[in-house]
Amino acid sequence: MAASFGALEEKQLSVSQPLARNGVLQPGKVYFIPARCGAAVVLEKGQMLTLINVSGLQVCDMWAFNTSDPDEFLSMEHTRTHLGRLVPVVGDSMVSNRRNEMLELVEDTSPGVHDTLIAACDINRYRQLGVSEYHDNCVDNLRMALLAIGKEVSHVPSPFNVWMNVPLDGDGSLTFVPPVAKRDDRIVFKAMMTCYVVMSCCPQDITAVNGVGSQTESIGVMLGD
């Protein structure tokens, strides 16, 4: 039985309004993940999943878990080793913590600026940023999105941060700056194994990762054969 998040679960759209109760989307239909929320879907081997940046400024944290064994998951550290670079490009396959291919990047209409280094935001990150009250965050979005389709995982891996712009400076420092994606840019993945894909419309509004002074926005999702 999946875990419960109590009062948080009751008010969070990630749980109460999943894209599909069983995580299975209708091919060709565009769904929208509400701003600041997450969604989990089932992606069969060979199927395509398209993410659409409706505003151009919204970052999407993304994870994938093997449906047969969720302890196998999309791993950024293993993917960097596999690719020999920080960020995948069209034609690259991202791999799991067992070094098996999970998702192939087959199309990207954006400039290709994404992030594989930064951990998902969580309640402790916002406390460090000076937020005293509860703040929506990607870690809770992941867990509740899975809960909405009756699943749970024992570990929260580092996500693939789609459209997130974190330049690595010459001295090794990192800077959080707005995305360079354009309105309605899209990125398409092909499943190399059947997996649960979880996406979070990152609710970060303290740093500039979703634009300076911008409201967090929804993300479009479409399943294709």
Side-chain angles (χ1 to χ4, degrees), residues 64 72-83 88 92-104 192-193:
E72 181 173 20
F73 49 81
L74 187 66
S75 168
M76 292 301 98
E77 53 268 44
H78 291 83
T79 292
R80 292 192 296 267
T81 301
H82 175 71
L83 298 179
D92 284 344
S93 290
M94 296 186 289
V95 301
S96 74
N97 56 315
R98 296 175 186 164
R99 304 186 192 272
N100 295 315
E101 292 185 342
M102 290 198 78
L103 296 174
E104 179 186 350
M192 308 304 287
M193 67 170 68

Side-chain angles (χ1 to χ4, degrees), residues 198-209:
V198 187
M199 301 144 288
S200 171
C201 294
C202 181
Q204 176 61 262
D205 52 10
I206 309 300
T207 72
V209 295

Side-chain angles (χ1 to χ4, degrees), residues 167-175:
L168 178 64
D169 295 333
D171 63 358
S173 61
L174 299 171
T175 308

